[in-house]
Amino acid sequence: MSKGRAEAVAGASGILLRYLQEQNRPYSAQDVFGNLQREHGLGKAAVVKALDQLAQQGKIKEKMYGKQKIYFADQEQFDMVSDADLQALDAKIVALTAKVQGLQQSCRHMEAGRTGQPPEELKELTSALTTPEMQKEIQELKKECAGYTERLKNIKAATNHVTPEEKEQVYRERQRYCKEWRKRKRMATELSDAILEGYPKSKKQFFEEVGIETDEDYNLKLPDP
């Protein structure tokens, strides 16, 4: 690789890594090239080479879909998001959108200079805010709402969500391990009780001499079935 091409690839790597992390969704090399070529003037060959290098370095992930290679940000760097978090974000977006629409409608009423008795909610707004203040709050709410919308879009586009099947599999394995734990603890208890019937010392002394460690020694408790 020539020195000029190597520098182009090195420069593209930082741009592409940042772009994939910010967007957090899968792209082909052609998609990335099309999205960034105009803004950054990246050549397609440099884009392809930089993506391959980032994948080899483990900074991004790649997958083959048919004959096409797809690149995306390493999901290990992102926090896991539960269904409850997604629902909370959805609810917040809806609430902010409704508030923005209400303020916009109030502003239109004020700017139109309508005569007559204004509605009660408009009276409250006009007594608290002037039109410039309303416009400023609208812009702030729009920005906040856009931020939540973008975050929700990125979360929904992520590839590390746990499927219902995977969740059910985890629950089944947990139940199996707890069942085995409970079974073995019962067997150990029955065996030690049988030995202690003819043992001249206390249960604690027996455990210490034999080297038995119990769940209680480590503050462990069997989960509820």
Side-chain angles (χ1 to χ4, degrees), residues 196 199-209:
L196 286 168
Y199 191 72
K201 299 180 182 180
S202 68
K203 181 178 181 180
K204 181 179 180 182
Q205 289 174 315
F206 169 66
F207 281 3
E208 289 176 351
E209 289 181 4

Side-chain angles (χ1 to χ4, degrees), residues 137-216:
E137 183 170 352
I138 286 173
Q139 293 304 316
E140 291 175 351
L141 287 170
K142 279 184 175 180
K143 185 177 179 180
E144 186 177 356
C145 186
Y148 282 116
T149 301
E150 181 66 19
R151 183 184 173 195
L152 183 60
K153 183 184 75 173
N154 291 339
I155 289 173
K156 288 182 176 179
T159 58
N160 66 333
H161 294 313
V162 178
T163 65
E165 292 79 12
E166 291 172 331
K167 186 184 294 185
E168 181 62 27
Q169 177 65 23
V170 170
Y171 285 144
R172 284 199 300 268
E173 290 184 359
R174 175 182 179 273
Q175 289 177 340
R176 180 163 63 88
Y177 290 135
C178 286
K179 183 178 179 181
E180 188 66 23
W181 181 2
R182 193 172 287 105
K183 176 184 175 183
R184 295 191 179 194
K185 182 172 183 177
R186 184 175 64 252
M187 291 172 59
T189 300
E190 291 174 353
L191 182 60
S192 63
D193 287 346
I195 294 172
L196 286 168
E197 288 181 3
Y199 191 72
K201 299 180 182 180
S202 68
K203 181 178 181 180
K204 181 179 180 182
Q205 289 174 315
F206 169 66
F207 281 3
E208 289 176 351
E209 289 181 4
V210 178
I212 295 177
E213 296 178 336
T214 67
D215 294 339
E216 290 72 22

Side-chain angles (χ1 to χ4, degrees), residues 39-51:
E39 181 180 355
H40 297 283
L42 301 176
K44 186 173 181 179
V47 168
V48 173
K49 185 67 177 177
L51 287 171

Side-chain angles (χ1 to χ4, degrees), residues 80-93 151-152 155-156 161-162 167:
M80 292 291 289
V81 180
S82 66
D83 292 340
D85 292 332
L86 292 175
Q87 292 173 2
L89 281 173
D90 276 328
K92 196 159 189 175
I93 289 171
R151 183 184 173 195
L152 183 60
I155 289 173
K156 288 182 176 179
H161 294 313
V162 178
K167 186 184 294 185

